Amino acid sequence: MSSFGDAGDGLRVRPYAITGGRTRARTELQIEAIVYRTPMGEQSSALPLERGQILSLLATPLSTAEISARLRLPLGVTRVILGDLIDEGYVAVNSRSATGRPDLRLLERVLDGLQAL
């Protein structure tokens, strides 16, 4: 269950309460960053609240933005929580290619999606 009401009636808990008053994590994440559970994250049985929900969602790798949307959490809150999970070893980020450029297939899929709009 997320911090939002089922009827979309708004946030029940203030974002600063979820993140402990922080607006940034030590590990900065881009919104398109693909994250996945590490072996440690696979073995963890019960992390509380949003942290546990994120690990549950990561049965398959997802982007930061997609996690935020699925949990209906503000993007900044999601980035802070994910940064903490990365720092603690529960989650890892799929790094870019050695050249530092985005994958050509990814760019083609994005272009196809934009053209479909």
Side-chain angles (χ1 to χ4, degrees), residues 12-78:
R12 291 184 184 162
V13 177
R14 298 282 185 201
Y16 60 82
I18 296 171
T19 62
R22 295 173 300 129
T23 58
R24 294 177 192 233
R26 280 183 274 159
T27 302
E28 284 289 320
L29 284 174
Q30 300 296 322
I31 63 171
E32 72 276 7
I34 304 296
V35 294
Y36 59 94
R37 286 188 295 204
T38 63
M40 183 176 160
E42 295 281 342
Q43 294 174 359
S44 77
S45 58
L47 287 178
L49 306 169
E50 291 81 13
R51 296 163 53 90
Q53 291 172 341
I54 288 173
L55 283 182
S56 295
L57 277 178
L58 290 177
T60 59
L62 296 171
S63 72
T64 304
E66 193 168 3
I67 293 167
S68 176
R70 288 189 183 190
L71 292 181
R72 295 174 28 191
L73 285 171
L75 185 59
V77 171
T78 304

Side-chain angles (χ1 to χ4, degrees), residues 110-117:
V110 169
L111 181 60
D112 290 343
L114 290 172
Q115 289 174 340
L117 294 175

